Amino acid sequence: MPFSFEYHDPETYRRKARLISLAMAGQLIVFGLVFSQLLVAAFGSSLWLNALGVFLGLLATSLTFAVLRERPWMTEMRYVWQLKHQLSRLSGYLATLRREMDQGNHVALHLMTAYHQGMVQLAELNGRTLDDDAEQLGERARIRRLREERGLPEQVEGFDPNDLAAFKRS
């Protein structure tokens, strides 16, 4: 299934991420305490029962989160999870993609463009600046130049993760 880049307002994303993180942390605390208290009341006091209560609280919080993640108000969060997942997949192939891109492989150039575009977007959404070292700046400039030479737009709309199958994982 192809991955498409989407625009999401960074401020809205960060606000929602903070709220959801606080809500989930609060829910974990409440569930952990409730399960621990129930186990201690039923079986007596034990460190292991308290730990089991916290584990059950974590499990209940995770299940709740899994159910809620498809809600419309979670759109930005879902997109960022997908973006991180796709960037992680691409990063496993970077050495091969770089080598193939330098040999004129159009698919590798497309995937490298998507990787850098995704990294920039992720940094923007998180309110951070990229740690632009000379190597990254040089690579981005090289990608931009190669795309320009081939008459391709500077950015891509997305990519198909199945394209990675043609490359060897580095």
Side-chain angles (χ1 to χ4, degrees), residues 35-52:
F35 283 123
S36 291
Q37 292 300 315
L38 288 173
L39 289 169
V40 166
F43 302 108
S45 184
S46 164
L47 176 65
W48 293 107
L49 290 176
N50 283 320
L52 179 60

Side-chain angles (χ1 to χ4, degrees), residues 151-164:
L152 299 170
E154 189 174 323
Q155 294 193 334
V156 295
E157 292 180 16
F159 68 96
D160 188 348
N162 293 326
D163 290 343
L164 289 170

Side-chain angles (χ1 to χ4, degrees), residues 118-161:
M119 291 297 287
V120 168
Q121 184 181 35
L122 185 60
E124 180 183 297
L125 285 167
N126 286 320
R128 298 188 180 114
T129 57
L130 282 178
D131 297 329
D132 283 328
D133 58 24
E135 187 177 323
Q136 273 190 334
L137 286 171
E139 186 168 80
R140 272 193 239 133
R142 190 168 77 243
I143 289 169
R144 195 172 17 257
R145 182 180 43 78
L146 287 170
R147 291 188 68 79
E148 194 174 283
E149 287 172 1
R150 294 181 179 141
L152 299 170
E154 189 174 323
Q155 294 193 334
V156 295
E157 292 180 16
F159 68 96
D160 188 348

Side-chain angles (χ1 to χ4, degrees), residues 15-25 65 73-74 77:
R15 183 175 34 81
K16 284 184 177 182
R18 280 190 300 271
L19 285 171
I20 291 168
S21 295
L22 286 172
M24 297 312 266
F65 196 58
W73 48 270
M74 293 285 285
M77 302 303 289

Side-chain angles (χ1 to χ4, degrees), residues 69-114:
R69 78 180 215 192
E70 295 303 320
R71 298 287 191 260
W73 48 270
M74 293 285 285
T75 302
E76 293 88 355
M77 302 303 289
R78 270 193 318 275
Y79 174 73
V80 171
W81 292 326
Q82 291 168 356
L83 177 61
K84 287 179 180 180
H85 175 73
Q86 296 303 335
L87 289 173
S88 176
R89 287 183 69 187
L90 284 169
S91 70
Y93 292 85
L94 285 179
T96 304
L97 291 173
R98 285 179 180 122
R99 186 175 54 253
E100 291 292 323
M101 180 183 73
D102 289 338
Q103 294 175 0
N105 187 314
H106 296 291
V107 175
L109 176 61
H110 183 81
L111 292 171
M112 287 298 294
T113 305

